[in-house]
Structure formats: structure tokens, C-alpha cells
Amino acid sequence: MSSDVASSHYIKIWGILLGLLLVSICGPMLEIKWITLLTAFGIAVIKALLVAKHFMHLSIERRFVTYMLLAMLLLIFMFFFGIAVDIMMPRGHNWEKIHLDVPASISPHH
Amino acid sequence: MGHGQPIATTRCASGVATGKLAVWWVLGSEIVIFGGLLACYILYRLFHDQWSVEAAHTNTLCGAINTFVLLTSSLFIVLAHKAAEEGAHLKAVKFIYLTIAGAGCFLVIKAYEWSGEITHGFTITKSLFWSFYYTAAGLHALHVIGGAVIMAIIAQDVKKKRHMHRVELIGLYWHFVDIVWIFLFPLLYIAK
Amino acid sequence: MGTVHHSPASQSRLASIWHRYLFSTDHKVIGMQYLFTGMAMAIIGGFFAYVFRMQLAFPGKEVLGYGLVNANNYNMLITNHGAIMIFWVAMPVLIAAFGNYLIPLMAGCDDMVFPRINRLSYQIFLLSVLVLIASFFVAGGGFGGAWTSYPPLSANPAYNLTPNGASLWLLAVALEFVAFLLGGINFITTLMNSRAPGMRMYDIPIVLWMIVIASVLFMGSVGPLIAGAVMLLFDQTLAIGFFDPSKGGDPVLWQHLFWFFGHPEVYVVLLPAMGITAEIITVFSRKKLFAYKTVLFTTIAVGVLSFFVWAHHQFISGIDPRMANIFTITTVIISVPITEMMFVYIATLYGGSIQFTTPMLFALAFLAEFLIGGVTGIFLGASSADIYFHDTYFVLAHFHYTFVPIAIIAVFAGLYYWFPKMFGRMMNDKLGHVHFWGTIIPFNCIFIPLFYLGAAGDHRRIYNYENFPDLMRGHMQDLRIVATISLLVMLAFQGVFLYNFFSSMFRGKKAGKNPWQANTLEWVAESPPPHGNFPTLPVVYRPPYEYSVPGRSSDFWPQNEKA
């Protein structure tokens, strides 16, 4: 399946990966937060895609495999956003209490 | 049991060979295991700004060297796969051993890193950041160890020119372990 | 293992039994191992239910066969009743036993694609059983923090009072997940790759589709819980505090991790039960399954939707009310495809020549009883109603109206139906009818009173109602006694089943290859099928439900028959 690809191709991809690694290490040295995030996670995604495409040969694999892996990832994203509201606000202050004027006739305090 | 492989194993209605198909499903299930753990970590991390103080103590150099080691071992196992497909079994064995050496190197660096951190008091119970740090990296390290053991077993078969297709299967797994580390590296070492 | 006392002949015979039944890689033997382990666990789980129901009906009295039940015993009993019935009965029997037995036979191949991984899966499962049973006997007793295992109750030994039981229980559950992940990969790969030549996507019997879709659901949902189990184990053993707010953790996170798995899990066991029913109602109404593709796509829709509803278990746990709104809507939506499936099954029955054999009775009862479970679920899916109902027996009754049909009634349907294939002999139909009515009538008598009690506000986490005079008013205690006595009757009638099952295994009428005149491939093999299943592997020429085709002399048309 991949025997027609020369070893030099894999070595080239490896070189690119190392270059990206270097960028992601140097990113934080600028000490700008959004650049750090971009170089850290943007490059992680690119590296992962490169490994998946060229080393795992997902580009020439049957399509349904890619879809299955993506579906699993999607589940995790859904889980993340489904629980984010709760985990990010664990003190119970998730909503505003609306002030309500209780008529004196039904209020238990009178 | 004295009987060979069932005919079922040799059928291929989906167009992906049985062993490979199963490995893809294993990786699918691994995605949700690591994904679940990392989702929890990211949510906590975003919520607790003060974790960056703890994260500043992780050793970026060790993390970077380990990333380099894993990326290189990924290259070795893909070259082993190529050699196995060309029928050059001894060359494949050589590359598998190089990959195992990479796994060993990764674990040695990890051990050095962790022992330094633990002696400085950054243990798993110090704070939740360190709990996640050791849990996530520990789960990953278990996968590295498992992969190395399986590769050693496969190498014995490949030496005798048997089960050559398994080089590709362990390769897929190894690349996945690599990808997990690619994400752990910025999460634990860079984003401070 | 061999000793000098054995003669060589008996030694080799022992070794061969050992090999054949304990270390076999044959999918049928592994299916049987799962089945019998599941049945043994069902007896333990049923015994636990008997003990705590006796305590509820006759508080403070000694229970025959157990003794006095104190508060800790009660917690341990309900926790492990729940865990056993779901993780060690419903899962192994519905998915693992039927999946292992049926997938290679109905897909027309000689075994699972990875027989040795299959064997490993059972061995890990058996280990999980042993760990669970060991957890009952350690110091402090078995785990008592409910089967959902919410922290801080489950995480802090000072609260649950079962320091050793809690960790062992968690370990057992984790091992069980590993076993089913291995099994699931085997199921999925086998159906995807090893179908008989000619078996296209729409020629696959519905039950196989459903077992495999259930395995995919399991695989997609269990990951976060495995991660969560590791975190909880660290909380228990190292007091880390992943779920402890005082250390920056969050107990609601566990609930999300648990229910993200826990809700798809409901469909993981429901789908195989639905599939078993589909096979049985087509055979015994001698009709083609109405709208095969609708059933299939509805199943897939259920699978996808099942990932979007989990937080409806947490409406009163302090989750964000805006999310509660969303989850109310998705929960109500998921009842649509399930209802659709019900209608399709009823349409299949409509106009058929129905034979009321024992499996058919159980299959019909499954549909009817599950319907009640589904309808009462709508009350609980609406967050506003759930706030009142959630901690009452209404939830409990609803839950059992879904799970008893799934894990008990549908399993009986499947067992009566495939028994001739499994053991080569027929089960006694008269005893089967006795068992059927002796199960269904008491079942309703147990849980209808509990619905009523729940609506009356009966709190569900109390072990002795004498301490709560408000909950002893009127006929409330009488209803509890009715439920308990019905349970005793129902358990007693399971003796009929066990007698029928084991005596038919040796003395039943010989079944022949195809006693029900069904179409699917398992009926082509000998009963019971030998190792390797088929003398020559079958080829498939048509869909599985071609019954009563006009212009044919026989009213069935096996999938492998050429013309």
C-alpha cells in the first residue's frame, strides 16, 4: 500500500515535525499569551494531522475509518461543551434570582 | 487448541483487513478515554487561574526532548512498516528495536523528570494540577510500556518472517501514542 | 493440576473438559460461559432484592437466609443489587452471551474474528466477578454508596464506611468495562468483515445490527467513565480530591462522567432486547418485518440521540437550569424513534398468523411492559416534574419498568427461542406458559404499587419507614407489603424456569435443525452446532425476513436457499 512511497518522504515529514516542535517551544519566549496558545495548540493540531495523514496513512485508508475517528472526537467535544457550563461555575451561581414582590395576603410571614 | 485461524478472520467485507479494522476501533475507544480525561483537565485548568503557578514548575526541556524522542520513534516504526511490506524482515526488526529503544529512552527521561519533581515536593497529592499531571502522563506512560512490550513480541515473529502485517498494526498504535503526547506536551508543559 | 490419584484416562478426560469448557476459544462456549455466569449473578442480585424488600415490608424482622438487616447492610444490598443487575447480568447476557452466540452463526462464519481475544474477554469478566464477590467479604463490607457511586459519598471512607469495599467495587467495574471493550471490538469487526458471501448491508438480521450498534455506543460512551474511574480510585485511595470542592474539584463532574456513559448504557442493553424481539415476532407472526430500513435507521438515530440526553439524570443535582431545558427537549425527542420502533413492530404483527409460543409471549410482553416504562419516562424527562418525582419510588418503578423488560423478559424470550439451537432440544412449552404468567403478573404487582407510592411522595432512600411516620400513613405500608409478596411469588416462579431449563437440556424433545421454521442462518447449522458451525459455510441470497412469500409452497424462505 505504501511501498511506493520512498523513505525520504517519511524523513521529510519527520523534519517538518521537528521544525514545528521547535516553533512551539520558542512560541512562549515572546511572552504574548495569544501567540503562546496559537503556537502551542495550533501546532499540536498540525503535528497530529501530519502524523495521522502520512505515518498512519489515513489519506489512503477507507473513508469510514476517518469518519469513525472523527465521530469519537466529536463526542468528546460535545461532552466538553455539555459539561462546561457546570464545571466552570461550580458555586451554584448559575442564574440570577429574580426579585419577586409577594402580595402580603399570601406571604407566609404576615 | 490445535486448530488454525478461523475462516472468519480472513474475510474482508469492509475492505479493511480484519486486524487493521480492529486496531482502528481500539484507537477510537482510546480517543474517548484520553479525551474524557483531558476534557476534565482543560475545564479545571480554565476555571482555576492559579494553576499556572504550579504549571510553571514543569520541566519544559524534558517534555521537549521526550516529544523529539517520540516523533523519532514514530519515524522508525513507519520505516519498519515500509521494510516489512518490502519483505526486508531483518531491516524491519532493526527498526522495531530502534523504536523500542525510543520507548525506553522516553521512559528513562520521564523517570528522571518525575524523580526530580517528587524530591522537590511536587507529588501527586500536592494539588489538583499535579494530580492531573501524573494521572494523564502516567496513563500515557502505561501505553508506552504496553506498546514496547507488544513490539518486542512482534519482533520475535518478524525475525522468522511470520505475521509481517502486524508491524503496520503496532505502528498505528504507536503513532496514536505519539499523537496523545503531541497534545499532552502543550497542555502540561507549554501553556503556563 | 493433575495428581497421582487420578488414572491417566480420567486425568485426560478432566483435562479435556477443562480445555473444552473453560479455555475454549469457540464463540458458542464463550457465549454459554457468559450466559451461565450472568444467570448465577442474577440469582445473587435477586437474593439481594429479596433481602432488602423484606426489610422494607417487615422492618427490623430477621430475614430468612440473611438475618437482621442494619442500615449498612441495606446500603450494601441496594448498591450491589443495582450494580450486579446492570453490569453483571444485563450486559453479559444481552450483549456478551447473545452477541457471542449469535453473531458468527447468523452472519454465517465459523467463529469470531479473534477467538483468543474473545476468550481473554471472558476471563477478564470472570476476574471482575470474583473481585466483586470478594468485595462483599472484606473488612467494612461491600460498597454501600449506590450503584451510581456519587462522590463525596463514594470517595470518602468516612462517609460510606466501606473503605475496602468501595475500591474493590470500582476495580471490578473497571475490569468489566475492559472485558466488554475487548468483546465489543470483536463483535464490530466480525460483523463488518466476516459476513457470509452475498450478505449485503440490508440482509443482516436486525438483532445483529442492534448488538453491534450497541457495542459502538458502549465504546463511544465508556471512555470518559474509565478516566473518571481512575480519578475516583485516586480520590478514594490517595484522597486527592478530583471531585472534592474543598480541594478545587467538583462532585458534579463525576455525575457528568457517569451519566455520559450511563445513559447510552440504557440503549446499549435496550437495543439487543429490541433486536431479539424483532427476530421472534417475525418468526411467530410468519410475516416479513415491517419496514426493515426504517427500523435500522431508527436504531442509528436512537444511538446518536442517546449521547445528547445524559443530564436528565441530574436535574436536581444543581446543574445549570438552562442546560436542563436543553436536556428536557432532547429527552422528549428520543422517545420519538423508540415509539416509531414500537409502531413498526405492531405493524409487523398486524395481519400475521400469530403463534403464541412461549418466546412469542415473552416478546409481546416485552413490548407492552417497556411501553409503560417509556410512557412514565416522559414525566421524568420533563425537568419540572422530575424535581418532585426524582427522589421517590416513581423513578424506581419507571426504571424497573424499562430494565426488567430488557434484562429479564427479553432475555427469557431469547432463551426460549434459541434454546433448541443451543442445546439441541426443545423446552417444555406448558411449563414455559406457567413461567410466563408467573413472571409477568407478579412483576406488575411489584411495581404498580411503587408508582402509586412514588406519586404519593414515598422517598426512595429510606431503609426503615417506621422512623418516618409521614410515610406510614394510610395504606402506604400495605402497598410495600404487596410489592414484597409479589416479588416472592415472582422469584418462586423462576424455579419453574430453572427446572424447565436444566431438565430440557437433557430430557427435552429433540429439536432438529430448524424447529421454528425460521429464515436466518443459525438455523442452517446442526443443533447444537459443532465447533466451526457449518459443514460448508453458507452463501446468502436474500434478506432475512422472507416469510409467507406469495407463490411459494412453504411459508419460509431460508437466507441461504438458492431459489
Side-chain angles (χ1 to χ4, degrees), chain B residues 25-51:
Chain B
W25 280 103
V26 170
L27 298 189
S29 71
E30 294 270 16
I31 287 178
V32 278
I33 296 176
F34 278 106
L37 188 64
L38 293 184
C40 298
Y41 168 71
I42 294 170
L43 283 170
Y44 276 5
R45 182 75 195 264
L46 291 173
F47 178 61
H48 299 282
D49 288 335
Q50 64 272 30
W51 282 19

PDB file of all heavy atoms in Angstrom, chain B residues 25-51:
ATOM      1  N   TRP B  25     -10.630   0.472  15.646  1.00  0.00           N
ATOM      2  CA  TRP B  25     -11.661   0.593  16.686  1.00  0.00           C
ATOM      3  C   TRP B  25     -11.028   0.744  18.070  1.00  0.00           C
ATOM      4  O   TRP B  25     -11.541   1.477  18.913  1.00  0.00           O
ATOM      5  CB  TRP B  25     -12.608  -0.606  16.659  1.00  0.00           C
ATOM      6  CG  TRP B  25     -13.642  -0.477  15.588  1.00  0.00           C
ATOM      7  CD1 TRP B  25     -13.656  -1.124  14.385  1.00  0.00           C
ATOM      8  CD2 TRP B  25     -14.797   0.369  15.599  1.00  0.00           C
ATOM      9  NE1 TRP B  25     -14.739  -0.724  13.648  1.00  0.00           N
ATOM     10  CE2 TRP B  25     -15.454   0.184  14.371  1.00  0.00           C
ATOM     11  CE3 TRP B  25     -15.325   1.272  16.519  1.00  0.00           C
ATOM     12  CZ2 TRP B  25     -16.624   0.860  14.039  1.00  0.00           C
ATOM     13  CZ3 TRP B  25     -16.493   1.948  16.190  1.00  0.00           C
ATOM     14  CH2 TRP B  25     -17.129   1.746  14.966  1.00  0.00           C
ATOM     15  N   VAL B  26      -9.906   0.059  18.295  1.00  0.00           N
ATOM     16  CA  VAL B  26      -9.205   0.250  19.571  1.00  0.00           C
ATOM     17  C   VAL B  26      -8.824   1.717  19.720  1.00  0.00           C
ATOM     18  O   VAL B  26      -9.048   2.343  20.771  1.00  0.00           O
ATOM     19  CB  VAL B  26      -7.952  -0.643  19.650  1.00  0.00           C
ATOM     20  CG1 VAL B  26      -7.102  -0.272  20.845  1.00  0.00           C
ATOM     21  CG2 VAL B  26      -8.333  -2.099  19.718  1.00  0.00           C
ATOM     22  N   LEU B  27      -8.272   2.276  18.638  1.00  0.00           N
ATOM     23  CA  LEU B  27      -7.855   3.677  18.719  1.00  0.00           C
ATOM     24  C   LEU B  27      -9.067   4.572  18.938  1.00  0.00           C
ATOM     25  O   LEU B  27      -9.000   5.547  19.697  1.00  0.00           O
ATOM     26  CB  LEU B  27      -7.103   4.084  17.448  1.00  0.00           C
ATOM     27  CG  LEU B  27      -5.813   3.321  17.183  1.00  0.00           C
ATOM     28  CD1 LEU B  27      -5.044   3.957  16.036  1.00  0.00           C
ATOM     29  CD2 LEU B  27      -4.942   3.272  18.426  1.00  0.00           C
ATOM     30  N   GLY B  28     -10.188   4.233  18.294  1.00  0.00           N
ATOM     31  CA  GLY B  28     -11.412   5.013  18.521  1.00  0.00           C
ATOM     32  C   GLY B  28     -11.781   5.027  19.990  1.00  0.00           C
ATOM     33  O   GLY B  28     -12.103   6.067  20.564  1.00  0.00           O
ATOM     34  N   SER B  29     -11.684   3.855  20.630  1.00  0.00           N
ATOM     35  CA  SER B  29     -12.063   3.811  22.047  1.00  0.00           C
ATOM     36  C   SER B  29     -11.024   4.512  22.910  1.00  0.00           C
ATOM     37  O   SER B  29     -11.342   5.068  23.953  1.00  0.00           O
ATOM     38  CB  SER B  29     -12.275   2.369  22.501  1.00  0.00           C
ATOM     39  OG  SER B  29     -11.045   1.703  22.579  1.00  0.00           O
ATOM     40  N   GLU B  30      -9.762   4.511  22.453  1.00  0.00           N
ATOM     41  CA  GLU B  30      -8.724   5.225  23.207  1.00  0.00           C
ATOM     42  C   GLU B  30      -8.944   6.737  23.124  1.00  0.00           C
ATOM     43  O   GLU B  30      -8.655   7.465  24.078  1.00  0.00           O
ATOM     44  CB  GLU B  30      -7.335   4.882  22.650  1.00  0.00           C
ATOM     45  CG  GLU B  30      -6.931   3.440  22.842  1.00  0.00           C
ATOM     46  CD  GLU B  30      -6.212   3.218  24.148  1.00  0.00           C
ATOM     47  OE1 GLU B  30      -6.292   4.092  25.014  1.00  0.00           O
ATOM     48  OE2 GLU B  30      -5.566   2.170  24.285  1.00  0.00           O
ATOM     49  N   ILE B  31      -9.433   7.197  21.972  1.00  0.00           N
ATOM     50  CA  ILE B  31      -9.684   8.632  21.828  1.00  0.00           C
ATOM     51  C   ILE B  31     -10.630   9.103  22.918  1.00  0.00           C
ATOM     52  O   ILE B  31     -10.398  10.130  23.562  1.00  0.00           O
ATOM     53  CB  ILE B  31     -10.281   8.947  20.435  1.00  0.00           C
ATOM     54  CG1 ILE B  31      -9.210   8.820  19.353  1.00  0.00           C
ATOM     55  CG2 ILE B  31     -10.853  10.365  20.407  1.00  0.00           C
ATOM     56  CD1 ILE B  31      -9.732   9.055  17.960  1.00  0.00           C
ATOM     57  N   VAL B  32     -11.703   8.342  23.178  1.00  0.00           N
ATOM     58  CA  VAL B  32     -12.650   8.811  24.189  1.00  0.00           C
ATOM     59  C   VAL B  32     -12.085   8.675  25.606  1.00  0.00           C
ATOM     60  O   VAL B  32     -12.452   9.450  26.483  1.00  0.00           O
ATOM     61  CB  VAL B  32     -14.029   8.136  24.082  1.00  0.00           C
ATOM     62  CG1 VAL B  32     -14.854   8.808  23.024  1.00  0.00           C
ATOM     63  CG2 VAL B  32     -13.933   6.672  23.846  1.00  0.00           C
ATOM     64  N   ILE B  33     -11.201   7.703  25.836  1.00  0.00           N
ATOM     65  CA  ILE B  33     -10.621   7.586  27.180  1.00  0.00           C
ATOM     66  C   ILE B  33      -9.724   8.795  27.459  1.00  0.00           C
ATOM     67  O   ILE B  33      -9.914   9.524  28.438  1.00  0.00           O
ATOM     68  CB  ILE B  33      -9.830   6.272  27.332  1.00  0.00           C
ATOM     69  CG1 ILE B  33     -10.771   5.075  27.187  1.00  0.00           C
ATOM     70  CG2 ILE B  33      -9.128   6.228  28.678  1.00  0.00           C
ATOM     71  CD1 ILE B  33     -10.068   3.745  27.235  1.00  0.00           C
ATOM     72  N   PHE B  34      -8.734   9.023  26.571  1.00  0.00           N
ATOM     73  CA  PHE B  34      -7.855  10.175  26.780  1.00  0.00           C
ATOM     74  C   PHE B  34      -8.640  11.468  26.654  1.00  0.00           C
ATOM     75  O   PHE B  34      -8.395  12.430  27.398  1.00  0.00           O
ATOM     76  CB  PHE B  34      -6.702  10.147  25.768  1.00  0.00           C
ATOM     77  CG  PHE B  34      -5.586   9.247  26.168  1.00  0.00           C
ATOM     78  CD1 PHE B  34      -5.392   8.032  25.546  1.00  0.00           C
ATOM     79  CD2 PHE B  34      -4.733   9.615  27.189  1.00  0.00           C
ATOM     80  CE1 PHE B  34      -4.356   7.198  25.918  1.00  0.00           C
ATOM     81  CE2 PHE B  34      -3.690   8.786  27.568  1.00  0.00           C
ATOM     82  CZ  PHE B  34      -3.505   7.577  26.939  1.00  0.00           C
ATOM     83  N   GLY B  35      -9.584  11.508  25.707  1.00  0.00           N
ATOM     84  CA  GLY B  35     -10.380  12.720  25.511  1.00  0.00           C
ATOM     85  C   GLY B  35     -11.148  13.087  26.762  1.00  0.00           C
ATOM     86  O   GLY B  35     -11.193  14.250  27.151  1.00  0.00           O
ATOM     87  N   GLY B  36     -11.747  12.105  27.414  1.00  0.00           N
ATOM     88  CA  GLY B  36     -12.513  12.373  28.630  1.00  0.00           C
ATOM     89  C   GLY B  36     -11.626  12.955  29.715  1.00  0.00           C
ATOM     90  O   GLY B  36     -11.968  13.958  30.350  1.00  0.00           O
ATOM     91  N   LEU B  37     -10.449  12.349  29.889  1.00  0.00           N
ATOM     92  CA  LEU B  37      -9.540  12.820  30.930  1.00  0.00           C
ATOM     93  C   LEU B  37      -9.065  14.241  30.624  1.00  0.00           C
ATOM     94  O   LEU B  37      -9.078  15.123  31.490  1.00  0.00           O
ATOM     95  CB  LEU B  37      -8.344  11.865  31.028  1.00  0.00           C
ATOM     96  CG  LEU B  37      -7.395  12.111  32.185  1.00  0.00           C
ATOM     97  CD1 LEU B  37      -8.116  11.898  33.497  1.00  0.00           C
ATOM     98  CD2 LEU B  37      -6.198  11.184  32.097  1.00  0.00           C
ATOM     99  N   LEU B  38      -8.676  14.467  29.361  1.00  0.00           N
ATOM    100  CA  LEU B  38      -8.148  15.783  29.018  1.00  0.00           C
ATOM    101  C   LEU B  38      -9.244  16.841  29.046  1.00  0.00           C
ATOM    102  O   LEU B  38      -8.979  17.991  29.418  1.00  0.00           O
ATOM    103  CB  LEU B  38      -7.463  15.733  27.643  1.00  0.00           C
ATOM    104  CG  LEU B  38      -6.197  14.865  27.627  1.00  0.00           C
ATOM    105  CD1 LEU B  38      -5.525  14.928  26.275  1.00  0.00           C
ATOM    106  CD2 LEU B  38      -5.231  15.307  28.714  1.00  0.00           C
ATOM    107  N   ALA B  39     -10.467  16.457  28.689  1.00  0.00           N
ATOM    108  CA  ALA B  39     -11.571  17.426  28.767  1.00  0.00           C
ATOM    109  C   ALA B  39     -11.735  17.893  30.213  1.00  0.00           C
ATOM    110  O   ALA B  39     -11.875  19.097  30.470  1.00  0.00           O
ATOM    111  CB  ALA B  39     -12.865  16.796  28.249  1.00  0.00           C
ATOM    112  N   CYS B  40     -11.697  16.962  31.159  1.00  0.00           N
ATOM    113  CA  CYS B  40     -11.798  17.339  32.577  1.00  0.00           C
ATOM    114  C   CYS B  40     -10.663  18.266  32.958  1.00  0.00           C
ATOM    115  O   CYS B  40     -10.860  19.288  33.623  1.00  0.00           O
ATOM    116  CB  CYS B  40     -11.752  16.107  33.472  1.00  0.00           C
ATOM    117  SG  CYS B  40     -13.090  14.984  33.212  1.00  0.00           S
ATOM    118  N   TYR B  41      -9.436  17.921  32.517  1.00  0.00           N
ATOM    119  CA  TYR B  41      -8.274  18.727  32.865  1.00  0.00           C
ATOM    120  C   TYR B  41      -8.421  20.144  32.312  1.00  0.00           C
ATOM    121  O   TYR B  41      -8.214  21.131  33.023  1.00  0.00           O
ATOM    122  CB  TYR B  41      -7.005  18.074  32.317  1.00  0.00           C
ATOM    123  CG  TYR B  41      -5.788  18.954  32.361  1.00  0.00           C
ATOM    124  CD1 TYR B  41      -5.187  19.254  33.573  1.00  0.00           C
ATOM    125  CD2 TYR B  41      -5.268  19.515  31.205  1.00  0.00           C
ATOM    126  CE1 TYR B  41      -4.077  20.092  33.620  1.00  0.00           C
ATOM    127  CE2 TYR B  41      -4.170  20.346  31.240  1.00  0.00           C
ATOM    128  CZ  TYR B  41      -3.577  20.631  32.446  1.00  0.00           C
ATOM    129  OH  TYR B  41      -2.494  21.465  32.489  1.00  0.00           O
ATOM    130  N   ILE B  42      -8.812  20.249  31.044  1.00  0.00           N
ATOM    131  CA  ILE B  42      -8.896  21.581  30.428  1.00  0.00           C
ATOM    132  C   ILE B  42      -9.948  22.431  31.137  1.00  0.00           C
ATOM    133  O   ILE B  42      -9.723  23.607  31.425  1.00  0.00           O
ATOM    134  CB  ILE B  42      -9.223  21.444  28.925  1.00  0.00           C
ATOM    135  CG1 ILE B  42      -8.056  20.766  28.203  1.00  0.00           C
ATOM    136  CG2 ILE B  42      -9.486  22.803  28.308  1.00  0.00           C
ATOM    137  CD1 ILE B  42      -8.366  20.367  26.784  1.00  0.00           C
ATOM    138  N   LEU B  43     -11.079  21.816  31.462  1.00  0.00           N
ATOM    139  CA  LEU B  43     -12.126  22.588  32.139  1.00  0.00           C
ATOM    140  C   LEU B  43     -11.639  23.105  33.487  1.00  0.00           C
ATOM    141  O   LEU B  43     -11.833  24.276  33.826  1.00  0.00           O
ATOM    142  CB  LEU B  43     -13.369  21.715  32.338  1.00  0.00           C
ATOM    143  CG  LEU B  43     -14.209  21.527  31.085  1.00  0.00           C
ATOM    144  CD1 LEU B  43     -15.254  20.473  31.294  1.00  0.00           C
ATOM    145  CD2 LEU B  43     -14.862  22.837  30.706  1.00  0.00           C
ATOM    146  N   TYR B  44     -11.011  22.230  34.261  1.00  0.00           N
ATOM    147  CA  TYR B  44     -10.497  22.663  35.563  1.00  0.00           C
ATOM    148  C   TYR B  44      -9.437  23.751  35.383  1.00  0.00           C
ATOM    149  O   TYR B  44      -9.386  24.721  36.117  1.00  0.00           O
ATOM    150  CB  TYR B  44      -9.887  21.467  36.317  1.00  0.00           C
ATOM    151  CG  TYR B  44     -10.877  20.618  37.075  1.00  0.00           C
ATOM    152  CD1 TYR B  44     -12.243  20.849  36.987  1.00  0.00           C
ATOM    153  CD2 TYR B  44     -10.456  19.582  37.903  1.00  0.00           C
ATOM    154  CE1 TYR B  44     -13.139  20.072  37.692  1.00  0.00           C
ATOM    155  CE2 TYR B  44     -11.350  18.805  38.609  1.00  0.00           C
ATOM    156  CZ  TYR B  44     -12.694  19.051  38.500  1.00  0.00           C
ATOM    157  OH  TYR B  44     -13.580  18.280  39.196  1.00  0.00           O
ATOM    158  N   ARG B  45      -8.585  23.532  34.403  1.00  0.00           N
ATOM    159  CA  ARG B  45      -7.489  24.474  34.175  1.00  0.00           C
ATOM    160  C   ARG B  45      -8.019  25.850  33.821  1.00  0.00           C
ATOM    161  O   ARG B  45      -7.549  26.870  34.315  1.00  0.00           O
ATOM    162  CB  ARG B  45      -6.609  23.927  33.047  1.00  0.00           C
ATOM    163  CG  ARG B  45      -5.396  24.743  32.701  1.00  0.00           C
ATOM    164  CD  ARG B  45      -4.335  24.561  33.749  1.00  0.00           C
ATOM    165  NE  ARG B  45      -3.304  25.588  33.627  1.00  0.00           N
ATOM    166  CZ  ARG B  45      -2.164  25.406  32.961  1.00  0.00           C
ATOM    167  NH1 ARG B  45      -1.917  24.247  32.391  1.00  0.00           N
ATOM    168  NH2 ARG B  45      -1.275  26.367  32.886  1.00  0.00           N
ATOM    169  N   LEU B  46      -9.040  25.891  32.957  1.00  0.00           N
ATOM    170  CA  LEU B  46      -9.606  27.183  32.571  1.00  0.00           C
ATOM    171  C   LEU B  46     -10.269  27.851  33.761  1.00  0.00           C
ATOM    172  O   LEU B  46     -10.261  29.068  33.893  1.00  0.00           O
ATOM    173  CB  LEU B  46     -10.643  26.996  31.447  1.00  0.00           C
ATOM    174  CG  LEU B  46     -10.092  26.580  30.092  1.00  0.00           C
ATOM    175  CD1 LEU B  46     -11.219  26.276  29.137  1.00  0.00           C
ATOM    176  CD2 LEU B  46      -9.203  27.672  29.530  1.00  0.00           C
ATOM    177  N   PHE B  47     -10.821  27.035  34.634  1.00  0.00           N
ATOM    178  CA  PHE B  47     -11.538  27.590  35.776  1.00  0.00           C
ATOM    179  C   PHE B  47     -10.578  28.101  36.845  1.00  0.00           C
ATOM    180  O   PHE B  47     -10.833  29.118  37.481  1.00  0.00           O
ATOM    181  CB  PHE B  47     -12.474  26.517  36.345  1.00  0.00           C
ATOM    182  CG  PHE B  47     -13.215  26.970  37.554  1.00  0.00           C
ATOM    183  CD1 PHE B  47     -14.083  28.050  37.481  1.00  0.00           C
ATOM    184  CD2 PHE B  47     -13.040  26.340  38.767  1.00  0.00           C
ATOM    185  CE1 PHE B  47     -14.767  28.473  38.593  1.00  0.00           C
ATOM    186  CE2 PHE B  47     -13.726  26.759  39.882  1.00  0.00           C
ATOM    187  CZ  PHE B  47     -14.587  27.837  39.788  1.00  0.00           C
ATOM    188  N   HIS B  48      -9.452  27.383  37.055  1.00  0.00           N
ATOM    189  CA  HIS B  48      -8.527  27.757  38.125  1.00  0.00           C
ATOM    190  C   HIS B  48      -7.329  28.494  37.530  1.00  0.00           C
ATOM    191  O   HIS B  48      -6.373  27.851  37.094  1.00  0.00           O
ATOM    192  CB  HIS B  48      -8.015  26.518  38.861  1.00  0.00           C
ATOM    193  CG  HIS B  48      -9.083  25.712  39.524  1.00  0.00           C
ATOM    194  ND1 HIS B  48      -9.654  26.070  40.720  1.00  0.00           N
ATOM    195  CD2 HIS B  48      -9.694  24.566  39.161  1.00  0.00           C
ATOM    196  CE1 HIS B  48     -10.565  25.178  41.068  1.00  0.00           C
ATOM    197  NE2 HIS B  48     -10.621  24.255  40.139  1.00  0.00           N
ATOM    198  N   ASP B  49      -7.356  29.819  37.537  1.00  0.00           N
ATOM    199  CA  ASP B  49      -6.219  30.574  37.013  1.00  0.00           C
ATOM    200  C   ASP B  49      -4.947  30.283  37.802  1.00  0.00           C
ATOM    201  O   ASP B  49      -3.854  30.298  37.255  1.00  0.00           O
ATOM    202  CB  ASP B  49      -6.517  32.078  37.090  1.00  0.00           C
ATOM    203  CG  ASP B  49      -7.540  32.492  36.067  1.00  0.00           C
ATOM    204  OD1 ASP B  49      -7.644  31.780  35.040  1.00  0.00           O
ATOM    205  OD2 ASP B  49      -8.253  33.477  36.286  1.00  0.00           O
ATOM    206  N   GLN B  50      -5.118  30.000  39.087  1.00  0.00           N
ATOM    207  CA  GLN B  50      -3.936  29.867  39.943  1.00  0.00           C
ATOM    208  C   GLN B  50      -3.102  28.638  39.595  1.00  0.00           C
ATOM    209  O   GLN B  50      -1.987  28.491  40.096  1.00  0.00           O
ATOM    210  CB  GLN B  50      -4.345  29.840  41.427  1.00  0.00           C
ATOM    211  CG  GLN B  50      -5.190  28.677  41.858  1.00  0.00           C
ATOM    212  CD  GLN B  50      -6.694  28.942  41.669  1.00  0.00           C
ATOM    213  OE1 GLN B  50      -7.092  29.684  40.777  1.00  0.00           O
ATOM    214  NE2 GLN B  50      -7.514  28.324  42.511  1.00  0.00           N
ATOM    215  N   TRP B  51      -3.627  27.753  38.735  1.00  0.00           N
ATOM    216  CA  TRP B  51      -2.851  26.566  38.372  1.00  0.00           C
ATOM    217  C   TRP B  51      -1.589  26.920  37.605  1.00  0.00           C
ATOM    218  O   TRP B  51      -0.644  26.149  37.586  1.00  0.00           O
ATOM    219  CB  TRP B  51      -3.699  25.586  37.544  1.00  0.00           C
ATOM    220  CG  TRP B  51      -4.643  24.794  38.366  1.00  0.00           C
ATOM    221  CD1 TRP B  51      -5.073  25.097  39.623  1.00  0.00           C
ATOM    222  CD2 TRP B  51      -5.269  23.577  38.011  1.00  0.00           C
ATOM    223  NE1 TRP B  51      -5.956  24.143  40.061  1.00  0.00           N
ATOM    224  CE2 TRP B  51      -6.091  23.201  39.079  1.00  0.00           C
ATOM    225  CE3 TRP B  51      -5.227  22.767  36.888  1.00  0.00           C
ATOM    226  CZ2 TRP B  51      -6.863  22.048  39.068  1.00  0.00           C
ATOM    227  CZ3 TRP B  51      -5.988  21.620  36.851  1.00  0.00           C
ATOM    228  CH2 TRP B  51      -6.805  21.260  37.953  1.00  0.00           C
TER     229      TRP B  51
END
